[in-house]
Amino acid sequence: MAEKASGAPYHPLGHVTGSTKYQQVVEAAAQLFADRGYRGTSMRDIADAVGLHAPSLYNRVHSKADVLRAIIDSALDGLVDAQFQAISSTPDVELQLRRAVEAKVLFQAQHPHFIRVLALEVHHLDEQPRGVVTDRIAQYEDSWLALINRGCASGHFRVASVELLVPTLLSMGTQSAAQSALNLSMAQVAYHFGDMAMRLVEPAGIPGRGSTDVDPGASDISRSA
Amino acid sequence: MAEKASGAPYHPLGHVTGSTKYQQVVEAAAQLFADRGYRGTSMRDIADAVGLHAPSLYNRVHSKADVLRAIIDSALDGLVDAQFQAISSTPDVELQLRRAVEAKVLFQAQHPHFIRVLALEVHHLDEQPRGVVTDRIAQYEDSWLALINRGCASGHFRVASVELLVPTLLSMGTQSAAQSALNLSMAQVAYHFGDMAMRLVEPAGIPGRGSTDVDPGASDISRSA
DNA sequence: CCTACCGATCGGTAGG
DNA sequence: CCTACCGATCGGTAGG
């Protein structure tokens, strides 16, 4: 899926602090894009970060856009893989959800720069590769939707709106800044988010309120503007 | 707080489709920054959007960075105001939380471009104004933390980690794309998110699991990388 | 609010 | 993997 220019072999999840120069370039770019944005980072910035001059970068990559594409593909590879492993690890839908959230939160904590670029910079891709990426993102979100729907169908989950729940689950643990300030391990953070997810799907619902009926007028607040 | 160059009066929440040319500039810039990013948008783009030539923009604003600052201030004004109104509307901490979530989700749905710029482009501000903005964001987040802590102290809420809950609450309804595809009104969407928030704080916890003890090893999943 | 224009920086190429 | 350099575009100014 991702492309490269020279002989460096591509490895989907190989950004565990890369050994090849290509991986070093992609990782340095991910950190810079995450900090300053895609348009706020020049090829000279990336070259400096890996100890090269800007024109020499083009022996490793085809273009700046290809570097962005490699980062986004890598991030998506990790998320999709984590989701696949969580779901295939057990037939228990509750355990699937808990493990899916934990695996996602852990991957996000381990690769915050890639995740941030995926979340913020997709719109800088050209139309064609952007379509491929957004299709893949849609597939990934559908796998979460299907997981929740399975749990609802089997009676293990009860949820007012699957379409509003899934984005909430997907946003969990996205801001790694606050987490690192806590005295919790990544595994503990992941576990807490798993707990929150289970709360959001539990069939018991909210005590003191019998159903999940929609009654928007019950607590409206008069707005100023 | 926000600045302007000419005689246009500044109005904190005045971006209800602006009447003055200054407001038109800020709103057009918000939409462009949200779509293409701050660095991906030129002053010429903004000028085109309001029917001016680029140099004429400087009769309305001091610089491109000032436009970004005005957008971010406006978004923060709206969030802070919504939070203040929700909390001061009732002494009931549960109702405070529900209304705070609803008001926040509603404001986000009404001003998606301003919210997106606030979330994505703060790092393009110069160090001094960025410090002011990040301080204000921290204050805003603290008001959520205090709200949850009040509920926990009074026994109305029970939560495993306030520090991990608050970011989850703050991320609710941030992606307005999925919401608009649903056949729900903004008020209904807000109500659903309010429900989710109440689920996350309810003292009953998760049935079938007695406590909120941390036991990260219970459901670990072997990772590939 | 316009035309004309500036210095700086950008992604990328030439040629070795 | 380097030096030298290109056309394009940027934020912003001059001067009226």
Side-chain angles (χ1 to χ4, degrees):
Chain A
M1 188 74 71
E3 301 175 19
K4 48 170 181 47
S6 71
Y10 176 69
H11 185 209
L13 291 175
H15 40 66
V16 271
T17 304
S19 48
T20 74
K21 201 80 178 181
Y22 174 77
Q23 288 169 342
Q24 289 178 30
V25 169
V26 172
E27 279 179 42
Q31 185 150 1
L32 288 165
F33 291 171
D35 289 344
R36 314 179 192 174
Y38 176 72
R39 295 290 295 262
T41 303
S42 70
M43 290 299 268
R44 285 156 178 85
D45 294 331
I46 300 172
D48 286 347
V50 295
L52 294 178
H53 288 77
S56 302
L57 276 183
Y58 291 88
N59 295 320
R60 309 288 178 175
V61 302
H62 291 124
S63 68
K64 191 186 179 187
D66 276 346
V67 178
L68 176 59
R69 176 69 190 274
I71 294 166
I72 288 172
D73 280 338
S74 221
L76 264 173
D77 288 344
L79 290 176
V80 168
D81 181 65
Q83 178 80 336
F84 174 80
Q85 289 198 34
I87 290 179
S88 54
S89 70
T90 172
D92 180 342
V93 67
E94 289 186 289
L95 210 47
Q96 283 179 342
L97 175 58
R98 179 177 281 280
R99 286 179 179 169
V101 170
E102 287 187 6
K104 177 179 160 308
V105 170
L106 279 177
F107 181 79
Q108 288 170 343
Q110 285 159 352
H111 304 282
H113 303 128
F114 285 76
I115 290 296
R116 186 170 162 87
V117 174
L118 171 63
L120 305 188
E121 311 290 347
V122 170
H123 65 284
H124 283 119
L125 288 172
D126 289 334
E127 192 167 339
Q128 192 179 14
R130 188 173 63 240
V132 177
V133 166
T134 54
D135 284 353
R136 234 184 132 200
I137 293 174
Q139 276 185 18
Y140 174 68
E141 293 179 350
D142 282 345
S143 82
W144 283 88
L145 217 78
L147 169 54
I148 302 299
N149 279 331
R150 282 198 306 278
C152 291
S154 66
H156 291 89
F157 301 161
R158 184 151 61 206
V159 153
S161 168
V162 191
E163 289 80 7
L164 294 181
L165 172 66
V166 167
T168 301
L169 294 176
L170 289 178
S171 70
M172 281 182 172
T174 292
Q175 326 79 328
S176 50
Q179 299 170 27
S180 56
L182 294 170
N183 280 356
L184 298 176
S185 68
M186 287 194 312
Q188 286 171 322
V189 169
Y191 185 81
H192 280 310
F193 280 116
D195 264 2
M196 285 194 234
M198 299 318 288
R199 279 202 189 210
L200 288 173
V201 299
E202 75 180 37
I206 298 170
R209 296 186 60 255
S211 71
T212 52
D213 290 342
V214 176
D215 184 8
S219 70
D220 64 334
I221 172 176
S222 58
R223 306 281 330 190
S224 63
Chain B
M1 187 75 71
E3 299 175 20
K4 49 169 181 49
S6 71
Y10 176 72
H11 184 210
L13 290 175
H15 41 65
V16 271
T17 303
S19 48
T20 75
K21 201 81 178 179
Y22 174 78
Q23 288 169 343
Q24 288 178 29
V25 169
V26 172
E27 279 178 42
Q31 185 150 1
L32 288 165
F33 291 171
D35 289 344
R36 316 178 190 173
Y38 176 72
R39 294 293 294 263
T41 303
S42 70
M43 290 299 268
R44 285 155 178 85
D45 294 332
I46 300 172
D48 287 348
V50 294
L52 293 180
H53 289 76
S56 302
L57 276 182
Y58 291 88
N59 294 320
R60 309 288 178 174
V61 303
H62 291 125
S63 68
K64 189 186 179 187
D66 276 346
V67 178
L68 176 60
R69 176 68 191 277
I71 295 166
I72 289 172
D73 280 337
S74 219
L76 265 172
D77 288 342
L79 290 176
V80 168
D81 180 66
Q83 177 80 336
F84 174 80
Q85 289 199 35
I87 291 179
S88 55
S89 70
T90 173
D92 180 342
V93 68
E94 289 187 287
L95 209 46
Q96 284 180 342
L97 176 58
R98 179 176 282 279
R99 287 178 179 170
V101 170
E102 287 187 5
K104 177 179 159 310
V105 170
L106 279 178
F107 181 79
Q108 288 170 342
Q110 285 160 351
H111 305 280
H113 303 130
F114 284 77
I115 291 296
R116 187 170 160 86
V117 172
L118 171 64
L120 305 188
E121 312 291 346
V122 170
H123 66 283
H124 283 119
L125 288 173
D126 289 334
E127 191 166 339
Q128 192 178 13
R130 188 172 64 239
V132 178
V133 166
T134 54
D135 284 354
R136 235 184 131 200
I137 293 174
Q139 276 185 19
Y140 174 68
E141 293 178 351
D142 281 346
S143 82
W144 284 88
L145 217 79
L147 169 54
I148 302 298
N149 279 331
R150 282 199 305 277
C152 291
S154 65
H156 291 89
F157 300 161
R158 184 149 63 206
V159 153
S161 168
V162 191
E163 289 81 7
L164 295 181
L165 171 67
V166 167
T168 302
L169 295 176
L170 290 177
S171 71
M172 280 183 173
T174 292
Q175 327 80 332
S176 50
Q179 299 169 28
S180 55
L182 294 170
N183 280 354
L184 298 176
S185 69
M186 288 196 311
Q188 286 172 322
V189 169
Y191 185 79
H192 280 310
F193 280 116
D195 264 2
M196 286 194 234
M198 299 319 288
R199 279 203 190 210
L200 288 172
V201 299
E202 74 179 40
I206 299 172
R209 296 185 59 255
S211 73
T212 52
D213 291 343
V214 176
D215 184 7
S219 68
D220 63 334
I221 172 175
S222 57
R223 307 277 325 163
S224 64

